[in-house]
Amino acid sequence: MQGTPARKGRNLVATVSHRLRAAIADGTLKPGDKLASESGLTEEHQVSRTVIREAIASLRADGLVEVRHGVGVFVLATQPKPQGGLQSVDPNRVSSIIEMLEVRAAIEIEAAGLAAGRCSPAQQELVFEALHVMNNQIASGTATVESDRAFHLAIADSTNNPRFRELLQAIGEQMIPRSLLGDDRPEATPADYLSQIQQEHETIARAIADRDETAARDAMRNHLKGSQQRYRALMRSTRSNTTA
């Protein structure tokens, strides 16, 4: 079937990510340990380099590993997951998702501005790397939730204030609404929707690279406000279908 290769690719990423997470959780990989090289992981797990890169991006988005360019990928000390609070987004209420997006706006608009003023060249590279991964996933029809999170967390890291990452991680996986509504499947997410989001991401990244704090804040504001409008439209559509 046409959708089989993309689905297989997503399953491989999930499988490799699960294996690495399990190794970290059970202590096989300890804080400070260096993962095998990309070619070594490719051979070990019998998958492509793209699968390994996306699996590593997933671990990095959750703060389990860090990438030291030119050196390798290292395991970080795990942090206890926050309970309740920001993680109590109700996926059955679009209004709950909008509440979460409003909180993100309060955090990330300022984060984008600070990132533009403070980011290092290496941090800029990580922002564009996540953007590049999303572009490839959109082109190949694979899910983008993890790389989307990695993009926003890379911006948080670029503030050089660890509290921004902590706040976003407190929201959890549901900081990307598609993960809550279950519509990150390629066949369920319109291409124009993903294209619009990606254009917004690129505008943010370019403003940060240009070190334009005002433009970076404006671009992040437009992105998150746009997300609120998209999900408000979804809420209205849901209500209309319910009363029809």
Side-chain angles (χ1 to χ4, degrees), residues 30-52:
K30 299 179 177 61
D33 283 354
K34 180 181 177 182
L35 270 61
S37 66
E38 186 176 279
S39 59
L41 290 171
T42 297
E43 183 176 351
E44 178 183 348
H45 296 280
Q46 292 297 293
V47 296
S48 69
R49 288 177 179 268
T50 298
V51 169
I52 294 300

Side-chain angles (χ1 to χ4, degrees), residues 33-96:
D33 283 354
K34 180 181 177 182
L35 270 61
S37 66
E38 186 176 279
S39 59
L41 290 171
T42 297
E43 183 176 351
E44 178 183 348
H45 296 280
Q46 292 297 293
V47 296
S48 69
R49 288 177 179 268
T50 298
V51 169
I52 294 300
R53 288 168 187 163
E54 293 182 14
I56 294 299
S58 170
L59 298 181
R60 187 173 61 187
D62 285 333
L64 296 176
V65 300
E66 68 173 350
V67 178
R68 301 176 191 169
H69 287 276
V71 181
V73 181
F74 293 83
V75 179
L76 295 174
T78 56
Q79 301 294 327
K81 292 184 177 180
Q83 301 295 320
L86 291 176
Q87 290 213 22
S88 59
V89 178
D90 184 353
N92 297 312
R93 292 192 308 114
V94 178
S95 60
S96 181

Side-chain angles (χ1 to χ4, degrees), residues 91-109:
N92 297 312
R93 292 192 308 114
V94 178
S95 60
S96 181
I97 295 173
I98 292 172
E99 291 168 357
M100 179 269 294
L101 286 169
E102 289 177 345
V103 170
R104 280 186 59 195
I107 298 168
E108 293 195 71
I109 291 170

Side-chain angles (χ1 to χ4, degrees), residues 167-179:
L167 286 168
L168 291 184
Q169 286 185 311
I171 296 174
E173 293 182 359
Q174 52 258 39
M175 69 178 280
I176 307 301
R178 297 193 303 286
S179 68

